[in-house]
Structure formats: C-alpha cells, structure tokens
Amino acid sequence: MSLRTEQTFFLENIEIFKRQLLAWGQQYETVLFLDSNNYEQNYSSYDAVIAVDEFTSIKTDYFEAFEKLKEYQSYTKDYLFGYLSYDLKNDTENLSSNNFDGLNFPDLYFFQPQKIVFIKGKEVVLSYLKMVDDEIEEDLEQIMNGEFDTEDSNNSEGLKVKLRIHKDEYGRKVRKVIDHIKRGDIYEANFCQEFYVENAQINPTETYRHLNRISKPPFATFFKNDELHLLSASPERYIRKEGCKIISQPIKGTAKRFVDSVEDEKAVFDLVRDEKERSENVMIVDLVRNDLSRTAKKGTVKVEELCKVYSFKQVHQLISTVVSEIEEDTHPVDVIRDTFPMGSMTGAPKISAMKIIEELEETKRGLYSGSIGYFAPNGDFDFNVVIRSILYNEEKKYISYSVGGAITAKSSPDKEYEECLLKAKAMKYVLTNS
C-alpha cells in the first residue's frame, strides 16, 4: 500500500513557481531543494524537487554509518533525502579525520519527508504522506500566491574571507604531493583548501539564489537542517541508480569561459587536447571502473563517454560517464558504500591518496566533497558531488567554502593555485558582493 497521496498540476511559469516553492519551504526546520536548472542531461528523473519536514530521520557519526543507513532505507521503503559526508571514508577503511572542523555537520543525515514536490517540464506533483495529505491544496495555494516569497534582505556586505592555507604554504604542500607521486605512493591526489569567514551572518536563501543565478549548474542544492546550511552550485554527479543500471560521471579537467566566442571555442579546443587534464580524467575513470566492478555483473562495466567537454556558465569541464549493471538483489546502499568517497575527490590509488591528503590538508572536509541526494522507494537513487558550495553554521556564525584540484606529476603549484581561485570565484563573489 502506498504511503503517499499524490496530486498533479500543470503550470506555465515554472521559474516563478520554483522561487515561491523554495521560499515556502523555509518555514520548516528541514528542507532539501534540488534543481537541475534545465541543464541538458542524458540521465534525469526530475527538473527540480523539494522535500520538507522530516517524519523520520537518521543522524550519525561515521561508525557503522553505512550499515545504519542500509537498515533505515530497507525498513522505511519511502523517499529518503539527505547527505553523506566525505568522512564516511573512516567507516569503509581504517582511516581517521583529525583536522580542524569549524562547521560540525553530522557525518551522515537522511530524512523521510512529510511533503515532497516534484517538477518535470510543466508538470508539478505534490507527494504527501497520508497523515498530512489534507494540507495539499492549502499548501499549493500558499506557494502559488507567493505568501512566503518576500524581498530577500542580505546582510553579508563586507564579509572578510580568510584562507586556511596561504599561497606559499599551498605551493609547499603541492610539492609534497608531487614527491609522493615521484616515489610511487600515488598517481594523483585531490588536494583541497578552505576559505572561511568567522562571526558572519548571511541570508541563506538569498545567498543560494545568487550563487545559483551566476552558475546555473545541473546539481544545484539548497539544504537546511536547523542551524546547518548547504548552498551548492555543483556541476558534478557522483552516482545514480536506474533499475539495475549504475551511472557515475566524474569530472576532472577545467578551463575558464570567455565572453568572446572565438576565445571560448579555443579554450574548449585546448582543454580537449591538454595532456595533463586528460590524464587526470582517465586515471579517475580507471578508479571508478574498479569501484563499480565490486557490485557489477561480470563484463558490464563500460565507459559511455570519455573526456567529453560540458560547458557551464563559468567553466568548461571534462566529464566521463562510466556505467555498470548490478544484480536485482544488490542492496542500493552497498553500491554507494563500495564507491565512496568518489574518486574525483580523492585520487588514485584511493586509500593511499586519502591518507596523504588527510595529512596535508588543514581542514576536516565534512560535507564538502561528500554527496547529497535521495533514494526513491524502489531503491533507485541520485547523488551529486558537494563542490562549488558554501557551508554555513548559523549558530556558530561560521561560513566555509573549499576548493581543490587534482595534483599529478605534471602539476605546477602556481597553475594549481590559479585553478583553485577560478573554482572559488563564484562563492567569493556571492559572499563579498551581495
């Protein structure tokens, strides 16, 4: 028997509706809003979805986290929305996270929402647990009338962004990674640095809207759970399940966009032929193939696209698509556990890379370079990679955004630093020019 009541409506102006929907969601302590910004994708279920108001939830540190999630998902058999922090690596391997943490997000959090609204094209589906389905029409009226959609005020002017690692120190650390590569400890490592603001207050909804407006990524996310917020303009999918098909789409390789179309086309041309950028991508594709093979039926792991250029508002990226087939009785959480954390955020070989970056980085990654998304009742799922994101602890008045890059034997510390600043540009702009 279905747990939910669904009602379908058709609307003309979806963009206005999405804005009103996000504003309406703010009355609840828990909100997760996912928006594809109508980006052309081969794999997609919805254009946007909001889930609000937890009925049940799971919140835990890394210890046996995947086993707890597996039990929760198996028992609930409903939509679950939430996140996996990078530090769940300590559950799957003998690793630890001892760096500074200014945010204090739990390592894993998922919730079963009382109310979900799905958008696909001009179709809007409200999916409510039966205990609250008498609120559907009233809620829809409130959303459509924009009752919660006030003019956003933002008090973030003049925020002073600080660096956890300064440029000279960053260069020294990158050279240490290269030394590890030359010694044969690793082939590649994704080394990250944090930018942060202390004693700061922002309007999370307006900050998210501003970030999304200038980036328009396919995996934009607004998440709130009490005082904790994620405002994400992620371009990257981590992993998706459609029936027995698994899809992973790692990003490695970045070039900046240009206003001039000739220059912009040249940037694409150069990116496709850049040996270092391609080798970064290919190494991670090999790692993803290996991760997927753990749950795949023999001979089903395939590379659908290798180093294809996808263009976003600020950068061009090389994205590969790796797929596999699993047995029908394979548990969805096992697929995630066997591929987590995503290779694009660790390096290769994975465990050695994670040990080295833990030693060299100054900040606990937490939700940054983790993943946020949802499970459907049938066990299908879709999760992004939490990058190009602002994390905010409202109670501690602490704002953080981190960026990283793949370090290989051919890396130049100065060029890697420039790439980090390019990736950080949108977050910095939103926080300092509001």
Side-chain angles (χ1 to χ4, degrees), residues 6-9 116-120 123-127:
E6 294 197 340
Q7 283 196 31
T8 303
F9 303 86
I116 311 172
V117 182
F118 298 104
I119 300 170
K120 182 78 174 175
E123 183 181 80
V124 176
V125 178
L126 281 76
S127 180

Side-chain angles (χ1 to χ4, degrees), residues 16 54 84 91 95 111 160 185 193 252 266 269 295 331 347 360 422:
I16 289 175
E54 67 174 54
L84 310 149
D91 182 33
L95 299 167
F111 73 106
K160 180 84 178 100
D185 302 334
Q193 58 174 320
K252 271 286 158 269
K266 185 181 182 302
F269 183 87
T295 49
H331 199 284
L360 292 173
L422 174 63

Side-chain angles (χ1 to χ4, degrees), residues 39 235 251-272 277 308-319 388 419 422-423:
Y39 192 86
I251 292 181
K252 271 286 158 269
T254 307
K256 73 174 179 181
R257 300 288 315 255
F258 291 90
V259 176
D260 180 82
S261 61
V262 176
E263 273 190 277
D264 203 48
E265 280 175 35
K266 185 181 182 302
V268 171
F269 183 87
D270 291 344
L271 180 60
V272 170
E277 304 281 1
K308 184 177 174 184
V309 176
Y310 284 76
S311 298
F312 304 97
K313 280 189 89 169
Q314 289 161 332
V315 290
H316 301 292
Q317 305 262 211
L318 292 181
I319 303 183
R388 320 286 159 83
E419 187 178 308
L422 174 63
K423 289 172 177 171

